[in-house]
Every structure is written in C-alpha cells, then in structure tokens.
Amino acid sequence: MAVQRRNTRQRKLVLDAVRQSCSHPTADEIYSAVREQDPKISRGTVYRNLNLLADEGTILSIKTPGGNRFDRTVDPHAHLICTACGRVIDVPLPFDGSLDASAADETGWSVMSHYTIFEGLCPACRDRDAVPGIEANL
Amino acid sequence: MAVQRRNTRQRKLVLDAVRQSCSHPTADEIYSAVREQDPKISRGTVYRNLNLLADEGTILSIKTPGGNRFDRTVDPHAHLICTACGRVIDVPLPFDGSLDASAADETGWSVMSHYTIFEGLCPACRDRDAVPGIEANL
DNA sequence: ATATATGCAAATAGTTTGCAAGGAG
DNA sequence: CTCCTTGCAAACTATTTGCATATAT
C-alpha cells in the first residue's frame, strides 16, 4: 500500500515556494525562498520534500545539466535553457505523448515518459555576447 | 582564431575508447577503458578531452541525470534511459531539427539545438521487477 | 622555443543519507 | 503511541581546476 504522508509545516512551505515561483527554480533557490519563512529548515528537508512532491506528481522535476529544476506546471511540455546563464523557460510547442509508444515499439523497452530540452541563448545573454564592432551578428 | 590543438597520445586514447564503445559510456567508464591502455592517464585528462572532443563536435555528449554519457554517433537522435539500471540506448525515431526554429519563434530566444530523452525500463529490469505472484503484469 | 596538455591533488557543486530527536495522526 | 519527518553533519557522486612539469609543433 502507499506510504502514509504527513502534512508537515515544512512540506507545505516547500510546495508553496514552488507554486509561487514562475522561474523554474533550482533546489537551492527553493531552499533560500523557504528559509525566509523558516530560517531553521534544513537543506536535506527541502531536497527530500522536492523529491517526494515530484514523485507524487504534485510538482514537476526538470533534469537539466547543472542541477534539477522544479516546475509548478505538471502537464508535459518542453523547456528551453540558456547555455550562458542557466535560465529556463517553458516552450509552448505541442507535446506528443504518443512518442513513448513509438519508442517502445522501436526498442522493445517499456517507455514511461520523455522530455525535450532546447538549448540556446536568452535575449539578455545574446545581446551581451554580441560583441560590438563585429559585423556577423545574426 | 581557433585554439590550436595538439595530437596527444592521451587524446587519441580517449577518442578511440569512445569510438570503440557502443554502450553510451560515462566519463568514468571511458576512464577505466583508457586506463587499461595507459595506467598513468588521469581522470582530469579524460574529462578535459571528453569535453574538448564534444565541443569540437567529434563526439556527442548526452546529458543524462546521474552523469553525462558519450556517443560516437554525432548525428542528432533521441536516447532512452533505463531508470532502474541507467543503461542508455539510441532511439531510432525521426529527429526534427526544424523544432529549433519553431521554439525560437515561440520564445524570442536564439535556439541552437534540442535533445529528447525517453525514460523507461530495459527488458532485463522490467522482467526482474515483474514480481511473481502478482497478476497485473502489463 | 613556446604555448598547449598532462598528472596530481584539492576544490567545487549538487544531492543524499545515517542518526537521534521531534511531531503528526 | 507509532512511525514518519526533521535537523544536522558527514558522505557521496560527478566534475572542474590550480599548479608545476612534460611535450607537441
């Protein structure tokens, strides 16, 4: 049977912090945010609760190079990461859930899910990197 | 101008090890393989060369949760990871490079690339996890 | 010659875990 | 009263880096 979960103050704080953020925060950003409400909460507790909430499906865990990020939006969608500053945004492109079945057909494995990550530059980093005096800025 | 690269014995060993593997090895697996040829090569050198070869586009770096993996096949294609044992295989599904342009249109960012990772169970782990005595095995 | 690359070891980043004490149900 | 959860600190995994030395070109 399912493990019985308790409604702890800490768990609620973590969930609220994820729900109040629209910037796909890292575990450490959640930790900082929650610390402002409860200066005693520990990193371990934040990590444990983030993982627990993600396992439950209450929040979404996004596996990005350089650390997981969390998303209050749980319906599957792609993400775009700035390779310069690490910022992450949602990509409003149609998500094709049927690809899982295709992948299973092709490979013989059981396929549960898939995720797509785009890599690029956010406007701020793109503009900053556009070195003045060099013409080839496209 | 481009940095000038030297053809070191170590770099060749690392590249050969990636090219000889068909199992999407981790950096540590490459390190072990190369160590058999040259017991003196250091982990740092292996990591440096793997990153360098991936930056050049000579090999492919696959960002998976739990560590990067490397692929001798550089043309873009999706990967399937076993969430139980970490094994990785290629997924022979069509890769749509034009999605990058669509994502750029939708977001206003510069989009360089994207990758898709499927998660599931390899046949071995699926069979092992199929607990005998429980009927609902589908 | 000279700058790139190596080996080593220490440092870093992100995350997990063991354990005793705390608290939800 | 039970056992899930927390706080703390230490452990862990994957990877990067500073520096003196070695080596490719």
Side-chain angles (χ1 to χ4, degrees):
Chain A
M1 73 199 86
V3 188
Q4 75 168 309
R5 300 255 142 94
R6 290 180 181 177
N7 259 339
T8 63
R9 188 177 43 81
Q10 290 90 336
R11 185 116 77 218
K12 267 178 247 158
L13 285 171
V14 169
L15 177 54
D16 287 350
V18 174
R19 291 222 160 120
Q20 277 160 28
S21 172
C22 50
S23 62
H24 305 84
T26 60
D28 229 61
E29 286 164 351
I30 293 294
Y31 172 66
S32 301
V34 167
R35 273 245 144 179
E36 289 176 19
Q37 307 298 119
D38 173 1
K40 290 294 187 192
I41 199 169
S42 76
R43 225 178 222 94
T45 296
V46 171
Y47 275 92
R48 273 185 289 236
N49 279 312
L50 286 171
N51 289 341
L52 190 146
L53 292 165
D55 286 349
E56 283 181 350
T58 307
I59 63 175
L60 183 71
S61 170
I62 314 169
K63 289 129 185 171
T64 72
N68 275 23
R69 287 167 174 272
F70 298 89
D71 196 335
R72 56 182 177 180
T73 308
V74 292
D75 63 285
H77 56 280
H79 291 96
L80 170 51
I81 305 183
C82 177
T83 52
C85 70
R87 223 176 115 207
V88 175
I89 61 169
D90 291 332
V91 180
L93 287 179
F95 184 90
D96 185 355
S98 74
L99 281 178
D100 293 348
S102 308
D105 284 349
E106 294 285 346
T107 60
W109 290 31
S110 302
V111 179
M112 271 75 197
S113 62
H114 74 272
Y115 58 91
T116 297
I117 296 196
F118 289 86
E119 294 181 314
L121 289 175
C122 70
C125 289
R126 183 213 300 141
D127 295 347
R128 176 165 36 67
D129 292 354
V131 184
I134 291 190
E135 289 80 32
N137 283 336
L138 253 221
Chain B
M1 72 200 86
V3 187
Q4 76 170 308
R5 301 253 143 94
R6 293 180 179 178
N7 258 338
T8 62
R9 188 176 43 80
Q10 291 89 337
R11 186 159 306 156
K12 268 177 247 158
L13 285 172
V14 169
L15 178 54
D16 287 350
V18 174
R19 291 218 159 125
Q20 277 160 28
S21 172
C22 50
S23 62
H24 305 84
T26 61
D28 227 61
E29 285 164 351
I30 292 295
Y31 172 67
S32 300
V34 168
R35 273 244 144 181
E36 291 177 17
Q37 308 296 119
D38 173 0
K40 290 293 187 194
I41 200 170
S42 76
R43 226 179 220 89
T45 296
V46 171
Y47 273 94
R48 274 185 287 235
N49 279 310
L50 285 171
N51 288 341
L52 190 146
L53 292 165
D55 286 349
E56 283 181 350
T58 307
I59 63 175
L60 182 70
S61 170
I62 315 168
K63 290 130 185 171
T64 72
N68 275 21
R69 285 166 175 273
F70 298 88
D71 197 334
R72 56 181 176 180
T73 308
V74 291
D75 63 286
H77 56 282
H79 292 95
L80 170 51
I81 306 183
C82 177
T83 52
C85 69
R87 225 177 112 206
V88 175
I89 61 170
D90 292 332
V91 180
L93 287 179
F95 184 90
D96 185 355
S98 74
L99 281 178
D100 293 347
S102 308
D105 284 350
E106 294 287 346
T107 60
W109 290 30
S110 302
V111 179
M112 272 75 197
S113 61
H114 73 272
Y115 57 91
T116 296
I117 297 195
F118 290 85
E119 295 182 314
L121 290 175
C122 72
C125 290
R126 184 213 298 141
D127 295 347
R128 177 163 37 66
D129 292 353
V131 184
I134 292 190
E135 289 78 34
N137 283 335
L138 251 219

PDB file of all heavy atoms in Angstrom, chain B residues 39-52:
ATOM      1  N   PRO B  39      47.984   3.109 -17.833  1.00  0.00           N
ATOM      2  CA  PRO B  39      47.631   3.128 -16.407  1.00  0.00           C
ATOM      3  C   PRO B  39      47.972   4.454 -15.735  1.00  0.00           C
ATOM      4  O   PRO B  39      47.611   4.662 -14.574  1.00  0.00           O
ATOM      5  CB  PRO B  39      48.482   1.999 -15.813  1.00  0.00           C
ATOM      6  CG  PRO B  39      48.901   1.166 -16.975  1.00  0.00           C
ATOM      7  CD  PRO B  39      49.015   2.106 -18.126  1.00  0.00           C
ATOM      8  N   LYS B  40      48.650   5.346 -16.434  1.00  0.00           N
ATOM      9  CA  LYS B  40      49.064   6.603 -15.825  1.00  0.00           C
ATOM     10  C   LYS B  40      48.117   7.757 -16.143  1.00  0.00           C
ATOM     11  O   LYS B  40      48.219   8.824 -15.553  1.00  0.00           O
ATOM     12  CB  LYS B  40      50.470   6.985 -16.322  1.00  0.00           C
ATOM     13  CG  LYS B  40      51.578   6.087 -15.803  1.00  0.00           C
ATOM     14  CD  LYS B  40      51.757   6.251 -14.301  1.00  0.00           C
ATOM     15  CE  LYS B  40      52.992   5.461 -13.831  1.00  0.00           C
ATOM     16  NZ  LYS B  40      53.016   5.302 -12.367  1.00  0.00           N
ATOM     17  N   ILE B  41      47.234   7.576 -17.092  1.00  0.00           N
ATOM     18  CA  ILE B  41      46.375   8.699 -17.509  1.00  0.00           C
ATOM     19  C   ILE B  41      45.483   9.107 -16.341  1.00  0.00           C
ATOM     20  O   ILE B  41      45.035   8.269 -15.557  1.00  0.00           O
ATOM     21  CB  ILE B  41      45.533   8.321 -18.748  1.00  0.00           C
ATOM     22  CG1 ILE B  41      45.040   9.588 -19.460  1.00  0.00           C
ATOM     23  CG2 ILE B  41      44.391   7.418 -18.365  1.00  0.00           C
ATOM     24  CD1 ILE B  41      44.412   9.310 -20.807  1.00  0.00           C
ATOM     25  N   SER B  42      45.243  10.390 -16.225  1.00  0.00           N
ATOM     26  CA  SER B  42      44.492  10.879 -15.064  1.00  0.00           C
ATOM     27  C   SER B  42      43.051  11.179 -15.420  1.00  0.00           C
ATOM     28  O   SER B  42      42.713  11.435 -16.578  1.00  0.00           O
ATOM     29  CB  SER B  42      45.150  12.133 -14.516  1.00  0.00           C
ATOM     30  OG  SER B  42      44.855  13.234 -15.328  1.00  0.00           O
ATOM     31  N   ARG B  43      42.224  11.132 -14.394  1.00  0.00           N
ATOM     32  CA  ARG B  43      40.809  11.428 -14.582  1.00  0.00           C
ATOM     33  C   ARG B  43      40.617  12.821 -15.194  1.00  0.00           C
ATOM     34  O   ARG B  43      39.812  13.004 -16.099  1.00  0.00           O
ATOM     35  CB  ARG B  43      40.103  11.368 -13.222  1.00  0.00           C
ATOM     36  CG  ARG B  43      38.829  10.623 -13.237  1.00  0.00           C
ATOM     37  CD  ARG B  43      38.174  10.570 -11.868  1.00  0.00           C
ATOM     38  NE  ARG B  43      37.593   9.272 -11.621  1.00  0.00           N
ATOM     39  CZ  ARG B  43      38.227   8.256 -11.071  1.00  0.00           C
ATOM     40  NH1 ARG B  43      39.469   8.397 -10.658  1.00  0.00           N
ATOM     41  NH2 ARG B  43      37.635   7.099 -10.909  1.00  0.00           N
ATOM     42  N   GLY B  44      41.357  13.781 -14.690  1.00  0.00           N
ATOM     43  CA  GLY B  44      41.252  15.140 -15.209  1.00  0.00           C
ATOM     44  C   GLY B  44      41.492  15.207 -16.702  1.00  0.00           C
ATOM     45  O   GLY B  44      40.783  15.901 -17.427  1.00  0.00           O
ATOM     46  N   THR B  45      42.476  14.502 -17.163  1.00  0.00           N
ATOM     47  CA  THR B  45      42.799  14.488 -18.592  1.00  0.00           C
ATOM     48  C   THR B  45      41.662  13.871 -19.392  1.00  0.00           C
ATOM     49  O   THR B  45      41.310  14.357 -20.465  1.00  0.00           O
ATOM     50  CB  THR B  45      44.103  13.709 -18.825  1.00  0.00           C
ATOM     51  OG1 THR B  45      45.162  14.412 -18.181  1.00  0.00           O
ATOM     52  CG2 THR B  45      44.413  13.585 -20.301  1.00  0.00           C
ATOM     53  N   VAL B  46      41.091  12.804 -18.869  1.00  0.00           N
ATOM     54  CA  VAL B  46      39.981  12.168 -19.571  1.00  0.00           C
ATOM     55  C   VAL B  46      38.798  13.127 -19.666  1.00  0.00           C
ATOM     56  O   VAL B  46      38.231  13.321 -20.742  1.00  0.00           O
ATOM     57  CB  VAL B  46      39.570  10.853 -18.878  1.00  0.00           C
ATOM     58  CG1 VAL B  46      38.291  10.298 -19.472  1.00  0.00           C
ATOM     59  CG2 VAL B  46      40.689   9.833 -18.992  1.00  0.00           C
ATOM     60  N   TYR B  47      38.462  13.748 -18.569  1.00  0.00           N
ATOM     61  CA  TYR B  47      37.354  14.703 -18.590  1.00  0.00           C
ATOM     62  C   TYR B  47      37.649  15.862 -19.537  1.00  0.00           C
ATOM     63  O   TYR B  47      36.792  16.286 -20.309  1.00  0.00           O
ATOM     64  CB  TYR B  47      37.095  15.245 -17.179  1.00  0.00           C
ATOM     65  CG  TYR B  47      36.168  14.385 -16.371  1.00  0.00           C
ATOM     66  CD1 TYR B  47      36.662  13.402 -15.521  1.00  0.00           C
ATOM     67  CD2 TYR B  47      34.786  14.529 -16.464  1.00  0.00           C
ATOM     68  CE1 TYR B  47      35.813  12.608 -14.775  1.00  0.00           C
ATOM     69  CE2 TYR B  47      33.931  13.732 -15.712  1.00  0.00           C
ATOM     70  CZ  TYR B  47      34.436  12.775 -14.875  1.00  0.00           C
ATOM     71  OH  TYR B  47      33.596  11.988 -14.139  1.00  0.00           O
ATOM     72  N   ARG B  48      38.858  16.399 -19.448  1.00  0.00           N
ATOM     73  CA  ARG B  48      39.204  17.527 -20.319  1.00  0.00           C
ATOM     74  C   ARG B  48      39.071  17.146 -21.777  1.00  0.00           C
ATOM     75  O   ARG B  48      38.538  17.903 -22.589  1.00  0.00           O
ATOM     76  CB  ARG B  48      40.626  18.010 -20.002  1.00  0.00           C
ATOM     77  CG  ARG B  48      40.667  19.025 -18.856  1.00  0.00           C
ATOM     78  CD  ARG B  48      42.069  19.594 -18.629  1.00  0.00           C
ATOM     79  NE  ARG B  48      42.941  18.609 -18.023  1.00  0.00           N
ATOM     80  CZ  ARG B  48      43.626  18.790 -16.884  1.00  0.00           C
ATOM     81  NH1 ARG B  48      43.545  19.934 -16.236  1.00  0.00           N
ATOM     82  NH2 ARG B  48      44.392  17.842 -16.390  1.00  0.00           N
ATOM     83  N   ASN B  49      39.537  15.958 -22.138  1.00  0.00           N
ATOM     84  CA  ASN B  49      39.491  15.563 -23.538  1.00  0.00           C
ATOM     85  C   ASN B  49      38.082  15.216 -23.992  1.00  0.00           C
ATOM     86  O   ASN B  49      37.706  15.531 -25.123  1.00  0.00           O
ATOM     87  CB  ASN B  49      40.450  14.402 -23.780  1.00  0.00           C
ATOM     88  CG  ASN B  49      41.869  14.892 -23.936  1.00  0.00           C
ATOM     89  OD1 ASN B  49      42.125  15.804 -24.714  1.00  0.00           O
ATOM     90  ND2 ASN B  49      42.801  14.320 -23.188  1.00  0.00           N
ATOM     91  N   LEU B  50      37.310  14.605 -23.121  1.00  0.00           N
ATOM     92  CA  LEU B  50      35.924  14.324 -23.499  1.00  0.00           C
ATOM     93  C   LEU B  50      35.185  15.633 -23.777  1.00  0.00           C
ATOM     94  O   LEU B  50      34.476  15.756 -24.772  1.00  0.00           O
ATOM     95  CB  LEU B  50      35.224  13.539 -22.386  1.00  0.00           C
ATOM     96  CG  LEU B  50      35.604  12.057 -22.265  1.00  0.00           C
ATOM     97  CD1 LEU B  50      35.017  11.441 -21.014  1.00  0.00           C
ATOM     98  CD2 LEU B  50      35.149  11.279 -23.506  1.00  0.00           C
ATOM     99  N   ASN B  51      35.372  16.609 -22.920  1.00  0.00           N
ATOM    100  CA  ASN B  51      34.707  17.890 -23.129  1.00  0.00           C
ATOM    101  C   ASN B  51      35.194  18.570 -24.399  1.00  0.00           C
ATOM    102  O   ASN B  51      34.405  19.147 -25.155  1.00  0.00           O
ATOM    103  CB  ASN B  51      34.944  18.814 -21.931  1.00  0.00           C
ATOM    104  CG  ASN B  51      34.157  18.356 -20.726  1.00  0.00           C
ATOM    105  OD1 ASN B  51      33.201  17.593 -20.849  1.00  0.00           O
ATOM    106  ND2 ASN B  51      34.558  18.801 -19.552  1.00  0.00           N
ATOM    107  N   LEU B  52      36.494  18.498 -24.621  1.00  0.00           N
ATOM    108  CA  LEU B  52      37.068  19.119 -25.802  1.00  0.00           C
ATOM    109  C   LEU B  52      36.546  18.461 -27.074  1.00  0.00           C
ATOM    110  O   LEU B  52      36.130  19.151 -28.019  1.00  0.00           O
ATOM    111  CB  LEU B  52      38.584  18.988 -25.692  1.00  0.00           C
ATOM    112  CG  LEU B  52      39.463  19.743 -26.649  1.00  0.00           C
ATOM    113  CD1 LEU B  52      40.742  20.169 -25.927  1.00  0.00           C
ATOM    114  CD2 LEU B  52      39.826  18.870 -27.826  1.00  0.00           C
TER     115      LEU B  52
END
